[in-house]
Amino acid sequence: MNHTHLDAIAVVQKLAYSLTPRDYERADVSVHPAFTALRSVQTMIDADSIPIGLGAQDVHPAESGAFTGEVSPVMLAKLNVRYVIVGHSERRELFGETDAFVNQKLLAVLKHEMTPILCVGETLAERESGATETKVLGQLDADFVGVTPAAAAKVVIAYEPIWAIGTGRTASPEDAQAMCKTVRAWMAEHYGAEVASTLKVQYGGSVTPANIAELMAQADIDGALVGGASLDAERFAQIVRLGR
């Protein structure tokens, strides 16, 4: 919940000016402004042919109805939204979203031909008790109910340890790699080696220009779900440039 639509326009413009054609060749870049800024940013991206994907931070699974204050996948698709974050730790922890609800969102995003970025991750207590793998695999089991192999191949999975979100703490590259490898192994077991090999697995959790290169050097980390650092266009651009 940051940036008015005017702030968001300024940040995306500066980001676009900071990135080069080579940067876009090396990485897919998307921005996920607040709902109130989506239309403004979409208009600017389309008008200037900026090669940045538009994403949303959340979605309600219903296409329409008596859900005051919510935004449907139909509304997002009409704005040329390409990516939708589902199951972010803040939605799960602060707003009590269950895996069953996250599963509905995932299916709705796929139905409307957008790419879901599914977030999974553990709390500090779960990590300290040795329950990290159990928590993450349980989320995957529940969140992928009813998802076909063809649809699963379109999902991006972001491992975001909750204890590292906005705290300045980051999982070590080795720990992040271990969990991202576990996620990929789960995909191979449930959907086959071909789907697992093309799966994009992101790491999210206090990603900065200082740690992105080391994180991205890991075999099973394909990208980053950038949080606070993305609010500053130059820091975000540095992360894109240093990530590969």
Side-chain angles (χ1 to χ4, degrees), residues 73-94:
V74 176
M75 297 171 182
L76 296 180
K78 289 295 184 181
L79 286 174
N80 296 332
V81 166
R82 289 170 53 191
Y83 303 96
V84 183
I85 298 172
V86 295
H88 191 281
S89 62
E90 290 164 0
R91 300 301 311 176
R92 294 178 187 266
E93 295 296 308
L94 299 179

Side-chain angles (χ1 to χ4, degrees), residues 38-117:
L38 275 176
R39 175 59 173 165
S40 299
V41 173
Q42 179 244 329
T43 300
M44 182 188 64
I45 287 175
D46 290 351
D48 295 343
S49 299
I50 298 172
I52 291 177
L54 183 64
Q57 298 178 12
D58 191 25
V59 68
H60 190 280
E63 296 187 2
S64 64
F67 303 101
T68 300
E70 294 296 318
V71 175
S72 78
V74 176
M75 297 171 182
L76 296 180
K78 289 295 184 181
L79 286 174
N80 296 332
V81 166
R82 289 170 53 191
Y83 303 96
V84 183
I85 298 172
V86 295
H88 191 281
S89 62
E90 290 164 0
R91 300 301 311 176
R92 294 178 187 266
E93 295 296 308
L94 299 179
F95 299 97
E97 291 190 1
T98 64
D99 279 307
F101 195 46
V102 172
N103 171 247
Q104 292 178 36
K105 293 184 178 188
L106 185 72
L107 293 171
V109 172
L110 289 166
K111 177 182 177 181
H112 290 278
E113 300 183 344
M114 296 176 288
T115 297
I117 299 176

Side-chain angles (χ1 to χ4, degrees), residues 12-185:
V12 177
Q13 283 180 327
K14 186 174 180 180
L15 176 64
Y17 293 148
S18 299
L19 296 176
T20 67
R22 176 165 170 73
D23 292 326
Y24 294 120
E25 291 174 2
R26 295 162 62 241
D28 294 324
V29 182
S30 67
V31 292
H32 299 249
F35 285 139
T36 54
L38 275 176
R39 175 59 173 165
S40 299
V41 173
Q42 179 244 329
T43 300
M44 182 188 64
I45 287 175
D46 290 351
D48 295 343
S49 299
I50 298 172
I52 291 177
L54 183 64
Q57 298 178 12
D58 191 25
V59 68
H60 190 280
E63 296 187 2
S64 64
F67 303 101
T68 300
E70 294 296 318
V71 175
S72 78
V74 176
M75 297 171 182
L76 296 180
K78 289 295 184 181
L79 286 174
N80 296 332
V81 166
R82 289 170 53 191
Y83 303 96
V84 183
I85 298 172
V86 295
H88 191 281
S89 62
E90 290 164 0
R91 300 301 311 176
R92 294 178 187 266
E93 295 296 308
L94 299 179
F95 299 97
E97 291 190 1
T98 64
D99 279 307
F101 195 46
V102 172
N103 171 247
Q104 292 178 36
K105 293 184 178 188
L106 185 72
L107 293 171
V109 172
L110 289 166
K111 177 182 177 181
H112 290 278
E113 300 183 344
M114 296 176 288
T115 297
I117 299 176
L118 172 67
C119 299
V120 296
E122 81 284 7
T123 65
L124 181 60
E126 289 164 341
R127 182 175 186 80
E128 291 179 339
S129 67
T132 295
E133 188 169 311
T134 299
K135 172 67 175 292
V136 171
L137 295 182
Q139 287 177 320
L140 293 172
D141 287 338
D143 296 344
F144 273 86
V145 170
V147 178
T148 66
K154 301 174 182 178
V155 179
V156 174
I157 300 178
Y159 167 59
E160 50 155 11
I162 297 171
W163 51 270
I165 305 299
T167 63
R169 300 179 60 182
T170 308
S172 70
E174 294 75 21
D175 286 342
Q177 159 61 20
M179 282 310 304
C180 289
K181 182 177 180 180
T182 296
V183 168
R184 197 179 302 278

